[in-house]
Amino acid sequence: MDFSGLIRAIDWYWLASTAMRVLAVLLCLTVHEACHGLAACALGDPTARDSHRLSLNPLRHIDWLGLGMMLVAGFGWAKPVPVDPRYFKRPKRGMALTALAGPLSNLLLAFLAMLFCHKVLDGFVTRESGFCYVLYIFLHLFVAPLSIGLGLFNLLPIPPLDGAKVLGAFLPDRAYFGLMRYERYGMLLLLALSWFGVTGDLINGAIQGVYWFFLELCL
């Protein structure tokens, strides 16, 4: 077998891009879910802590089907962090704050990644700078937009997304529980909206806006 010919035939750019995308997705989803658990724990709910879901180990959070969907379709999910609202003094508010922690952590991660690129790595980055160049590309072109996208997508007020729980804090109890009743159908709605490009068009424009806003702050 001609191994040298096989090596030359490999699309190394595609392979490297795919590897960085996988790592970026794992990082963004792990931070998102861990911060849900940290928020719940800070508000008095030990369920996520007792389930070992405060970890930054991606294997504790990843749903493999959801990861595959995220890589292929740009729309996916991780294992939901277990939360017991009975531990919260004000359950609706506690659920809203716990839900909000995930998207906010993604937006913060994106901003910090871009800030690190422009304030620390900028002076070291050339195509010949090896690791610094790869890290710059990874953070700026993979982590930042993916993290912004994940954060904004989860703020949509459609169950089971975090935005629905945040919205629920402002609704009367009857309306809140009525909204949560349709949580099982929300994923089907999201898949349909994604299939027809509705969420993509909406989110992509918002991602670009937030990305350039963060970029202006970092420069």
Side-chain angles (χ1 to χ4, degrees):
M1 181 178 291
D2 184 5
F3 287 104
S4 62
L6 179 62
I7 291 173
R8 286 195 299 272
I10 294 174
D11 187 340
W12 293 104
Y13 177 81
W14 176 87
L15 193 62
S17 296
T18 301
M20 284 195 281
R21 181 172 175 80
V22 171
L23 289 174
V25 169
L26 288 173
L27 175 62
C28 296
L29 288 176
T30 298
V31 168
H32 182 101
E33 295 301 328
C35 285
H36 278 318
L38 286 169
C41 192
L43 292 167
D45 176 16
T47 310
R49 183 194 65 205
D50 294 344
S51 302
H52 307 289
R53 295 298 301 279
L54 305 186
S55 171
L56 289 177
N57 178 359
L59 295 178
R60 295 195 180 276
H61 303 287
I62 296 304
D63 179 296
W64 294 107
L65 176 60
L67 175 63
M69 287 289 292
M70 187 87 174
L71 293 171
V72 173
F75 163 73
W77 56 88
K79 295 177 185 175
V81 167
V83 177
D84 188 343
R86 292 175 296 181
Y87 285 102
F88 300 142
K89 293 180 180 179
R90 297 174 62 181
K92 282 201 306 181
R93 186 183 70 172
M95 287 298 294
L97 292 173
T98 299
L100 191 59
L104 288 184
S105 72
N106 286 126
L107 296 175
L108 180 60
L109 173 64
F111 177 71
L112 292 177
M114 295 174 72
L115 189 66
F116 182 76
C117 285
H118 289 281
K119 298 300 183 183
V120 177
L121 292 180
D122 252 357
F124 302 96
V125 172
T126 66
R127 286 187 176 274
E128 291 76 33
S129 57
F131 176 75
C132 288
Y133 178 72
V134 172
L135 182 60
Y136 185 94
I137 295 298
F138 173 67
L139 293 176
H140 208 295
L141 298 184
F142 288 88
V143 172
L146 271 171
S147 201
I148 292 170
L150 184 61
L152 294 179
F153 181 78
N154 273 279
L155 286 174
L156 293 175
I158 302 173
L161 298 181
D162 299 321
K165 297 181 179 68
V166 175
L167 174 64
F170 301 96
L171 297 176
D173 287 352
R174 184 173 180 179
Y176 172 76
F177 290 114
L179 178 65
M180 291 301 110
R181 191 177 300 125
Y182 293 98
E183 186 169 4
R184 71 183 73 178
Y185 306 111
M187 190 61 72
L188 295 176
L189 174 60
L190 289 168
L191 287 171
L193 292 174
S194 179
W195 176 265
F196 289 108
V198 176
T199 52
D201 293 340
L202 178 66
I203 295 297
N204 286 337
I207 290 172
Q208 289 297 318
V210 174
Y211 183 89
W212 287 108
F213 175 68
F214 283 173
L215 187 58
E216 287 294 322
L217 293 177
C218 293
L219 294 178

